[in-house]
Short mmCIF file of all heavy atoms in Angstrom, two decimals:
data_model
loop_
_atom_site.label_atom_id
_atom_site.label_comp_id
_atom_site.label_asym_id
_atom_site.label_seq_id
_atom_site.Cartn_x
_atom_site.Cartn_y
_atom_site.Cartn_z
N ALA S 1 49.89 219.88 275.02
CA ALA S 1 48.69 220.66 275.30
C ALA S 1 47.50 220.10 274.51
O ALA S 1 47.66 219.59 273.40
CB ALA S 1 48.91 222.12 274.93
N PRO S 2 46.29 220.21 275.07
CA PRO S 2 45.11 219.74 274.33
C PRO S 2 44.82 220.66 273.14
O PRO S 2 45.21 221.83 273.12
CB PRO S 2 44.00 219.82 275.38
CG PRO S 2 44.47 220.83 276.37
CD PRO S 2 45.96 220.70 276.41
N PRO S 3 44.11 220.12 272.13
CA PRO S 3 43.85 220.92 270.93
C PRO S 3 42.63 221.80 271.09
O PRO S 3 41.79 221.60 271.96
CB PRO S 3 43.59 219.84 269.88
CG PRO S 3 42.93 218.74 270.67
CD PRO S 3 43.60 218.75 272.02
N GLN S 4 42.55 222.79 270.23
CA GLN S 4 41.29 223.54 270.10
C GLN S 4 40.26 222.65 269.41
O GLN S 4 40.60 221.72 268.69
CB GLN S 4 41.49 224.77 269.20
CG GLN S 4 42.49 225.78 269.67
CD GLN S 4 42.58 226.93 268.69
OE1 GLN S 4 41.92 227.95 268.86
NE2 GLN S 4 43.37 226.77 267.63
N ASP S 5 39.00 222.95 269.62
CA ASP S 5 37.95 222.24 268.90
C ASP S 5 37.84 222.81 267.49
O ASP S 5 38.22 223.95 267.21
CB ASP S 5 36.61 222.41 269.62
CG ASP S 5 36.57 221.68 270.96
OD1 ASP S 5 37.27 220.64 271.07
OD2 ASP S 5 35.86 222.14 271.87
N ALA S 6 37.32 221.98 266.58
CA ALA S 6 36.96 222.50 265.27
C ALA S 6 35.72 223.40 265.44
O ALA S 6 34.93 223.18 266.35
CB ALA S 6 36.66 221.33 264.33
N PRO S 7 35.57 224.44 264.62
CA PRO S 7 36.34 224.75 263.42
C PRO S 7 37.57 225.62 263.66
O PRO S 7 38.30 225.91 262.71
CB PRO S 7 35.33 225.49 262.55
CG PRO S 7 34.47 226.22 263.54
CD PRO S 7 34.35 225.29 264.73
N ALA S 8 37.81 226.08 264.90
CA ALA S 8 39.00 226.89 265.15
C ALA S 8 40.27 226.10 264.82
O ALA S 8 41.26 226.67 264.34
CB ALA S 8 39.03 227.37 266.60
N ASN S 9 40.23 224.81 265.06
CA ASN S 9 41.36 223.94 264.78
C ASN S 9 41.30 223.51 263.32
O ASN S 9 40.59 222.57 262.96
CB ASN S 9 41.31 222.73 265.72
CG ASN S 9 42.52 221.82 265.58
OD1 ASN S 9 43.18 221.79 264.55
ND2 ASN S 9 42.80 221.06 266.63
N GLU S 10 42.06 224.18 262.48
CA GLU S 10 42.02 223.89 261.04
C GLU S 10 42.57 222.50 260.73
O GLU S 10 42.18 221.87 259.75
CB GLU S 10 42.80 224.96 260.27
CG GLU S 10 42.16 226.33 260.31
CD GLU S 10 42.88 227.33 259.42
OE1 GLU S 10 43.48 226.90 258.40
OE2 GLU S 10 42.85 228.53 259.74
N TYR S 11 43.50 222.03 261.56
CA TYR S 11 44.03 220.67 261.35
C TYR S 11 42.91 219.64 261.54
O TYR S 11 42.79 218.69 260.76
CB TYR S 11 45.18 220.41 262.32
CG TYR S 11 45.85 219.06 262.12
CD1 TYR S 11 46.84 218.87 261.17
CD2 TYR S 11 45.47 217.96 262.89
CE1 TYR S 11 47.45 217.64 260.98
CE2 TYR S 11 46.07 216.72 262.72
CZ TYR S 11 47.05 216.57 261.76
OH TYR S 11 47.65 215.33 261.58
N TRP S 12 42.10 219.82 262.54
CA TRP S 12 41.01 218.88 262.83
C TRP S 12 39.98 218.92 261.69
O TRP S 12 39.48 217.87 261.26
CB TRP S 12 40.35 219.25 264.15
CG TRP S 12 39.61 218.12 264.82
CD1 TRP S 12 39.05 217.04 264.21
CD2 TRP S 12 39.37 217.98 266.21
NE1 TRP S 12 38.47 216.21 265.14
CE2 TRP S 12 38.65 216.78 266.39
CE3 TRP S 12 39.67 218.75 267.34
CZ2 TRP S 12 38.24 216.33 267.64
CZ3 TRP S 12 39.26 218.30 268.58
CH2 TRP S 12 38.55 217.11 268.74
N VAL S 13 39.68 220.10 261.22
CA VAL S 13 38.74 220.23 260.10
C VAL S 13 39.26 219.47 258.89
O VAL S 13 38.53 218.70 258.24
CB VAL S 13 38.52 221.71 259.75
CG1 VAL S 13 37.71 221.85 258.46
CG2 VAL S 13 37.83 222.44 260.90
N SER S 14 40.54 219.67 258.59
CA SER S 14 41.14 219.00 257.44
C SER S 14 41.21 217.50 257.66
O SER S 14 41.00 216.71 256.71
CB SER S 14 42.54 219.56 257.18
OG SER S 14 43.12 218.99 256.03
N LEU S 15 41.48 217.06 258.88
CA LEU S 15 41.54 215.63 259.18
C LEU S 15 40.19 214.97 258.91
O LEU S 15 40.13 213.90 258.29
CB LEU S 15 41.96 215.42 260.64
CG LEU S 15 42.03 213.97 261.13
CD1 LEU S 15 43.02 213.16 260.31
CD2 LEU S 15 42.41 213.93 262.62
N ASN S 16 39.11 215.60 259.35
CA ASN S 16 37.78 215.05 259.10
C ASN S 16 37.52 214.92 257.60
O ASN S 16 36.97 213.91 257.13
CB ASN S 16 36.71 215.92 259.74
CG ASN S 16 36.69 215.81 261.26
OD1 ASN S 16 37.19 214.84 261.83
ND2 ASN S 16 36.12 216.81 261.92
N GLU S 17 37.91 215.93 256.86
CA GLU S 17 37.69 215.90 255.41
C GLU S 17 38.50 214.78 254.76
O GLU S 17 38.00 214.06 253.88
CB GLU S 17 38.08 217.25 254.79
CG GLU S 17 37.18 218.41 255.20
CD GLU S 17 37.69 219.75 254.70
OE1 GLU S 17 38.83 219.79 254.17
OE2 GLU S 17 36.96 220.75 254.85
N ARG S 18 39.71 214.63 255.19
CA ARG S 18 40.60 213.63 254.58
C ARG S 18 40.16 212.20 254.94
O ARG S 18 40.34 211.28 254.14
CB ARG S 18 42.03 213.87 255.03
CG ARG S 18 42.64 215.14 254.45
CD ARG S 18 43.90 215.55 255.20
NE ARG S 18 44.45 216.81 254.71
CZ ARG S 18 45.43 216.91 253.82
NH1 ARG S 18 45.97 215.81 253.31
NH2 ARG S 18 45.87 218.08 253.43
N LEU S 19 39.63 212.02 256.16
CA LEU S 19 39.18 210.69 256.56
C LEU S 19 37.80 210.35 255.99
O LEU S 19 37.44 209.17 255.92
CB LEU S 19 39.14 210.59 258.09
CG LEU S 19 40.48 210.64 258.82
CD1 LEU S 19 40.26 210.51 260.33
CD2 LEU S 19 41.43 209.55 258.34
N GLY S 20 37.02 211.35 255.65
CA GLY S 20 35.67 211.10 255.14
C GLY S 20 34.67 210.82 256.25
O GLY S 20 33.66 210.15 256.03
N GLY S 21 34.95 211.33 257.43
CA GLY S 21 34.07 211.15 258.58
C GLY S 21 34.56 212.00 259.72
O GLY S 21 35.52 212.77 259.59
N GLU S 22 33.91 211.87 260.87
CA GLU S 22 34.26 212.70 262.02
C GLU S 22 35.23 211.95 262.94
O GLU S 22 34.93 210.84 263.40
CB GLU S 22 33.01 213.09 262.80
CG GLU S 22 33.29 214.10 263.91
CD GLU S 22 32.03 214.55 264.62
OE1 GLU S 22 30.92 214.12 264.20
OE2 GLU S 22 32.14 215.31 265.59
N PHE S 23 36.37 212.56 263.20
CA PHE S 23 37.39 211.99 264.07
C PHE S 23 37.10 212.42 265.50
O PHE S 23 37.11 213.61 265.81
CB PHE S 23 38.77 212.48 263.63
CG PHE S 23 39.92 211.87 264.37
CD1 PHE S 23 40.31 210.56 264.13
CD2 PHE S 23 40.65 212.61 265.31
CE1 PHE S 23 41.39 209.99 264.80
CE2 PHE S 23 41.71 212.05 265.99
CZ PHE S 23 42.08 210.75 265.74
N LYS S 24 36.80 211.45 266.39
CA LYS S 24 36.41 211.74 267.77
C LYS S 24 37.35 211.01 268.73
O LYS S 24 37.10 209.87 269.10
CB LYS S 24 34.96 211.33 268.01
CG LYS S 24 33.94 212.08 267.14
CD LYS S 24 32.52 211.78 267.55
CE LYS S 24 32.21 212.37 268.92
NZ LYS S 24 30.76 212.21 269.28
N PRO S 25 38.45 211.68 269.12
CA PRO S 25 39.43 211.02 269.98
C PRO S 25 39.14 211.20 271.47
O PRO S 25 38.56 212.20 271.90
CB PRO S 25 40.72 211.74 269.61
CG PRO S 25 40.27 213.15 269.32
CD PRO S 25 38.91 213.01 268.68
N THR S 26 39.53 210.20 272.24
CA THR S 26 39.70 210.36 273.69
C THR S 26 41.19 210.53 273.93
O THR S 26 41.97 209.61 273.66
CB THR S 26 39.17 209.13 274.45
OG1 THR S 26 37.77 209.00 274.22
CG2 THR S 26 39.44 209.25 275.94
N LEU S 27 41.59 211.72 274.38
CA LEU S 27 43.00 212.06 274.52
C LEU S 27 43.41 211.89 275.97
O LEU S 27 42.82 212.49 276.87
CB LEU S 27 43.25 213.49 274.05
CG LEU S 27 42.83 213.78 272.60
CD1 LEU S 27 42.98 215.26 272.29
CD2 LEU S 27 43.65 212.94 271.62
N VAL S 28 44.44 211.08 276.20
CA VAL S 28 44.84 210.70 277.55
C VAL S 28 46.31 211.00 277.76
O VAL S 28 47.17 210.53 277.00
CB VAL S 28 44.58 209.20 277.78
CG1 VAL S 28 45.01 208.78 279.17
CG2 VAL S 28 43.13 208.85 277.54
N ALA S 29 46.62 211.80 278.78
CA ALA S 29 48.02 212.05 279.13
C ALA S 29 48.67 210.73 279.52
O ALA S 29 48.06 209.88 280.18
CB ALA S 29 48.12 213.05 280.28
N PHE S 30 49.93 210.54 279.12
CA PHE S 30 50.56 209.24 279.32
C PHE S 30 50.69 208.87 280.79
O PHE S 30 50.62 207.69 281.15
CB PHE S 30 51.94 209.19 278.64
CG PHE S 30 52.49 207.78 278.55
CD1 PHE S 30 51.89 206.85 277.71
CD2 PHE S 30 53.58 207.38 279.29
CE1 PHE S 30 52.36 205.55 277.61
CE2 PHE S 30 54.07 206.09 279.21
CZ PHE S 30 53.46 205.18 278.37
N ASP S 31 50.86 209.86 281.67
CA ASP S 31 50.99 209.53 283.09
C ASP S 31 49.67 209.07 283.70
O ASP S 31 49.65 208.59 284.84
CB ASP S 31 51.59 210.69 283.88
CG ASP S 31 50.77 211.97 283.78
OD1 ASP S 31 49.73 211.97 283.09
OD2 ASP S 31 51.18 212.98 284.38
N THR S 32 48.56 209.21 282.99
CA THR S 32 47.28 208.69 283.47
C THR S 32 46.78 207.55 282.58
O THR S 32 45.63 207.12 282.71
CB THR S 32 46.22 209.80 283.52
OG1 THR S 32 45.95 210.28 282.19
CG2 THR S 32 46.66 210.96 284.40
N TYR S 33 47.64 207.07 281.69
CA TYR S 33 47.23 206.06 280.71
C TYR S 33 46.67 204.81 281.39
O TYR S 33 45.62 204.30 281.01
CB TYR S 33 48.42 205.69 279.82
CG TYR S 33 48.14 204.56 278.86
CD1 TYR S 33 47.62 204.82 277.60
CD2 TYR S 33 48.37 203.23 279.21
CE1 TYR S 33 47.35 203.79 276.70
CE2 TYR S 33 48.09 202.19 278.32
CZ TYR S 33 47.59 202.47 277.07
OH TYR S 33 47.31 201.45 276.21
N ASN S 34 47.37 204.29 282.41
CA ASN S 34 46.95 203.04 283.05
C ASN S 34 45.53 203.13 283.60
O ASN S 34 44.68 202.27 283.33
CB ASN S 34 47.93 202.68 284.17
CG ASN S 34 49.28 202.25 283.63
OD1 ASN S 34 49.52 202.26 282.44
ND2 ASN S 34 50.18 201.90 284.53
N GLU S 35 45.29 204.17 284.39
CA GLU S 35 43.97 204.27 285.02
C GLU S 35 42.88 204.56 284.00
O GLU S 35 41.75 204.04 284.10
CB GLU S 35 43.98 205.32 286.12
CG GLU S 35 44.31 206.73 285.66
CD GLU S 35 44.41 207.71 286.83
OE1 GLU S 35 45.49 207.77 287.45
OE2 GLU S 35 43.41 208.39 287.10
N LYS S 36 43.18 205.37 282.99
CA LYS S 36 42.18 205.67 281.96
C LYS S 36 41.87 204.44 281.12
O LYS S 36 40.71 204.21 280.75
CB LYS S 36 42.67 206.82 281.08
CG LYS S 36 42.83 208.15 281.80
CD LYS S 36 41.48 208.71 282.26
CE LYS S 36 41.66 210.11 282.84
NZ LYS S 36 40.38 210.69 283.32
#
């Protein structure tokens, strides 16, 4: 399932803090990986 956006997603908030920047992923389901 896709994640909630920050700040509701506490994991994402913590990830940004730990990396020292903003984590901005493009999330792709594996069955659409080739075309994406």
Side-chain angles (χ1 to χ4, degrees):
Q4 299 180 95
D5 291 330
N9 184 336
E10 293 186 29
Y11 183 84
W12 203 333
V13 172
S14 183
L15 178 60
N16 288 340
E17 293 174 352
R18 290 164 184 264
L19 293 181
E22 187 176 357
F23 185 74
K24 298 188 68 174
T26 297
L27 303 174
V28 179
F30 193 68
D31 58 0
T32 64
Y33 175 89
N34 290 2
E35 61 185 83
K36 295 293 186 181

